[in-house]
Amino acid sequence: MADQWQSSMDHAVAIARRAGEVVREALLDDRAVMTKSSSVDLVTQTDQKVEQLIIQSVKEKFPTHRFIGEESVAAGESCVLTDCPTWIIDPIDGTTNFVHAFPFVAVSIGFSVNKQVEFGVVYSCLEDKMFTARRGKGAFCNGQPLEVSEQKDIQQSIVATEFGSSRAPEAVDRIFCSLKNVLSIPVHGLRGAGTAAINMCLVASGCVEAYYEIGIHVWDVAAGSLIVCEAGGVLMDVEGNGPDANTSCLPARCVSDGCLCAGGEVDLMSRRIIAANSRTIAERLVREIAPFRPPRDDAPPPN
Amino acid sequence: MSRTSGAHTRNTQLCVLLQSDVCLLHVSFPCFYSHQTSEFTLLVSNLNHAVQSGSLVVPQVVLSAFQQHKEVKLKSSPADLVTETDQRVEKILISAIRNRYPQHRFIGEESVAAGERLELTDSPTWIIDPIDGTVNFVHRFPFVAISIAFTFNKQIQFGIVYSCVEDKLFYAQRGGGAFLNGEPLYVSGQQDISRCVVVTEIGAERDDVALSTTTSNICRLLKLPVHGVRALGTAAVDMCQVATGGADAYYHIGMHCWDIAASAIIVQEAGGVVMDTDGSEFDMMSRRVIAASSATVADRIAQVIQAFPCCRDDEDNCRCGATGVN
């Protein structure tokens, strides 16, 4: 049976690759930086240009599709997910890295229908690695199948996380409390490449056993969430299993061979996530994370 | 850089062919301590050629083992790992160099772990980390480097860091600049700490004092604020990000001389500064380092971070708050 979303996915891969070229070219120039929610929440013209490039190209081919794009939302567009086919776009995940030419920068495109992620594309432009996943059909990097690590012992694990762009003292203190707890388990090590999308692909690749973060946005993780699940991993909220009570949440259900996989559910608008190779590892991390609740992505804007 | 052919006599080269069961090592090193810049040029040219042609097989030993299951042992803590590949690569390197230069001395990570005395003298000395990023290696996290530094009169003369999975060869000779795969490297020159990306590592210590100090250091830096903090899992590759300009600073407490000797000269030759975490002069045996794009940034970091107690590499029975082996 033909896959009704195949042409959308093919387009996503092509446009992500094109966007990656734009990013690479821009790295050769000066990258003038602006700030958003804080002095360390950076954005550049390239972020905006790449998002427009993706949105315009999709509108031409798929005029009824909708969009949630990081820079569009920053400019005032809605971040509420409907049942419509929706492209969830982070034009440059790792803008800080991009500004510094630190070598991890990704274009992230998640596609949802009926509030369920149908495919995800993460293009790590400087490494030239194209990560993709189609619901029920596995996850791949440059055509090679991906599989999460088999490690079930947290003490033999590497965990990826980021410190985020909030510098609010309460958030930072909680982040460091979690960090110290996780390290003290002890784990083999902690890593941070500087982009949520790539961190999730590292989980899917089996290089790290888990990634967790509080403060990310839906566009950072929509694509990566499916890539992790299709590689055999799980998603979980930082406080454990069970979706948020909000009925407009976006559960990322992992469907493999027609059965719900062993993953938990996570609300991709909640701004919190654990992506792990197994429930065992994810639940162990839940015990160590000091949670807090940033404002949801789909919360109405203040006033 | 052009290759000169027929290098003889004054351009003495160490060409070593070591046949073993499964690997061949071909390493060319000139006679550095006679300060022959042209010889270093030839070395690097040969190394580049060897890497591209696949004939630099020590990395091949690492890369072919990278995808396999590894038997892992612990050293000083549950996060301080060693594998058979670490030990094998170090033996190959030392044997090859010693065969040619029997008077030269060595400080190698696994030799020291096996009980060799760690002492830096004025003699020509090779400081070797056969696999920097052993935890990464075990997990197939793709940042794993071979690090080789050469000292004479206790001064680092050249350094080579080969990031095997990325196929990136970083190198520098004193007074000759720093390079990545033949392209010159320059630090970012950033002077403003609030615009910096800082790379660091949590390290292998898991005792409470070390972890509290390490995490509170990162927390204080983040609050300055800085643009961000990154960790790739190998000191050598982390520091090379400063040399490329991709990061603005690196600091670490608890690493060893073999982790940073090579990349220290690479950062310096790229225009950066290297110092102790208390702002004093860099001492590669102190187990503390800041490497930065500018003295201003390095000094600022020195003001903010604290070191946990750590005995020197050249002290006997050196450990850093070890929890002991499981």
Side-chain angles (χ1 to χ4, degrees), chain B residues 42-324:
Chain B
L42 187 55
L43 152 73
V44 164
S45 168
N46 284 339
L47 271 174
N48 269 327
H49 175 75
V51 165
Q52 277 152 34
S53 67
S55 63
L56 189 60
V57 183
V58 164
Q60 284 182 9
V61 171
V62 172
L63 284 171
S64 63
F66 189 73
Q67 294 301 335
Q68 310 297 327
H69 172 73
K70 295 123 186 134
E71 293 294 327
V72 177
K73 297 197 174 111
L74 302 180
K75 292 201 281 189
S76 67
S77 85
D80 187 7
L81 310 184
V82 64
T83 71
E84 189 224 26
T85 309
D86 296 69
Q87 295 160 338
R88 186 165 160 223
V89 168
E90 184 164 314
K91 283 198 177 96
I92 291 171
L93 285 169
I94 291 179
S95 175
I97 299 168
R98 183 172 274 149
N99 193 46
R100 187 64 177 181
Y101 292 121
Q103 305 305 315
H104 286 197
R105 301 180 73 154
F106 297 90
I107 295 173
E109 175 172 15
E110 305 316 329
S111 314
V112 167
E116 295 248 353
R117 185 119 192 274
L118 195 168
E119 186 193 10
L120 185 66
T121 67
D122 288 341
S123 299
T125 303
W126 301 76
I127 303 179
I128 296 169
D129 191 340
I131 298 183
D132 190 46
T134 297
V135 172
N136 286 359
F137 176 68
V138 168
H139 286 264
R140 301 186 197 119
F141 188 87
F143 296 95
V144 170
I146 300 168
S147 177
I148 302 172
F150 178 83
T151 69
F152 181 60
N153 290 338
K154 301 195 186 75
Q155 194 181 48
I156 305 170
Q157 301 299 325
F158 73 81
I160 297 164
V161 172
Y162 181 54
S163 179
C164 313
V165 182
E166 301 183 275
D167 191 23
K168 286 184 177 172
L169 183 67
F170 301 88
Y171 49 91
Q173 186 195 25
R174 179 166 297 282
F179 300 87
L180 165 57
N181 290 354
E183 298 299 315
L185 292 181
Y186 304 103
V187 294
S188 69
Q190 184 59 253
Q191 305 268 344
D192 181 353
I193 190 71
S194 71
R195 295 178 180 219
C196 283
V197 158
V198 180
V199 193
T200 189
E201 293 296 333
I202 306 293
E205 293 76 25
R206 293 291 177 265
D207 65 282
D208 197 60
V209 169
L211 281 183
S212 295
T213 311
T214 304
T215 52
S216 62
N217 281 342
I218 301 174
C219 190
R220 273 197 298 279
L221 270 177
L222 220 56
K223 286 180 176 174
L224 283 178
V226 294
H227 267 180
V229 176
R230 303 285 178 267
L232 297 176
T234 127
V237 174
D238 283 343
M239 264 173 97
C240 286
Q241 305 306 312
V242 178
T244 66
D248 307 289
Y250 169 76
Y251 75 92
H252 198 168
I253 297 134
M255 80 291 154
H256 296 278
C257 57
W258 44 76
D259 295 319
I260 47 99
S263 39
I265 192 159
I266 294 169
V267 167
Q268 285 169 323
E269 287 295 322
V273 305
V274 186
M275 64 168 68
D276 194 287
T277 54
D278 62 7
S280 62
E281 201 178 315
F282 172 57
D283 172 359
M284 80 165 105
M285 296 294 170
S286 70
R287 301 191 57 199
R288 302 190 298 258
V289 71
I290 298 173
S293 54
S294 65
T296 312
V297 164
D299 286 336
R300 190 72 184 90
I301 293 175
Q303 284 168 3
V304 167
I305 63 174
Q306 289 165 0
F308 50 88
C310 221
C311 58
R312 295 170 58 82
D313 266 337
D314 50 8
E315 269 175 40
D316 289 330
N317 300 316
C318 179
R319 284 289 181 265
C320 233
T323 58

Side-chain angles (χ1 to χ4, degrees), chain A residues 61-208:
Chain A
K61 275 193 99 148
F62 309 102
T64 60
H65 289 190
R66 300 176 80 155
F67 302 91
I68 292 176
E70 175 173 16
E71 306 315 329
S72 312
V73 167
E77 299 261 351
S78 160
C79 190
V80 175
L81 192 65
T82 66
D83 287 342
C84 294
T86 304
W87 297 67
I88 304 172
I89 299 165
D90 190 345
I92 297 183
D93 190 43
T95 296
T96 300
N97 286 357
F98 170 68
V99 166
H100 286 265
F102 190 82
F104 300 99
V105 175
V107 179
S108 178
I109 301 174
F111 180 80
S112 81
V113 182
N114 297 327
K115 302 195 186 75
Q116 187 167 48
V117 180
E118 289 292 337
F119 66 75
V121 172
V122 172
Y123 181 46
S124 178
C125 342
L126 304 181
E127 303 181 279
D128 192 21
K129 288 183 178 171
M130 182 67 75
F131 295 91
T132 59
R134 174 76 181 95
R135 187 163 64 84
K137 296 196 179 158
F140 299 85
C141 176
N142 290 351
Q144 299 300 312
L146 294 179
E147 226 177 297
V148 293
S149 145
E150 290 175 353
Q151 184 59 254
K152 297 291 196 308
D153 180 357
I154 190 72
Q155 296 193 7
Q156 314 273 340
S157 296
I158 295 184
V159 177
T161 191
E162 299 292 339
F163 305 111
S165 54
S166 170
R167 298 288 179 265
E170 320 78 57
V172 173
D173 288 339
R174 294 229 140 197
I175 286 169
F176 279 89
C177 180
S178 303
L179 181 71
K180 188 153 174 253
N181 290 347
V182 169
L183 284 167
S184 302
I185 293 174
V187 293
H188 266 178
L190 209 85
R191 301 288 178 268
T195 123
I198 289 180
N199 283 335
M200 289 178 91
C201 291
L202 289 171
V203 175
S205 303
C207 303
V208 306

Side-chain angles (χ1 to χ4, degrees), chain A residues 18-70:
Chain A
R18 173 79 193 103
E21 282 170 21
V22 173
V23 169
R24 284 194 295 267
E25 283 161 16
L27 271 170
L28 303 174
D29 293 329
D30 277 335
R31 298 169 287 292
V33 176
M34 298 159 279
T35 59
K36 292 196 284 189
S37 65
S38 76
S39 67
V40 298
D41 184 9
L42 310 183
V43 64
T44 68
Q45 284 183 345
T46 310
D47 294 70
Q48 295 159 341
K49 180 177 163 190
V50 166
E51 185 162 312
Q52 276 315 302
L53 166 78
I54 296 172
I55 291 177
Q56 281 311 119
S57 78
V58 172
K59 274 183 177 167
E60 279 164 21
K61 275 193 99 148
F62 309 102
T64 60
H65 289 190
R66 300 176 80 155
F67 302 91
I68 292 176
E70 175 173 16

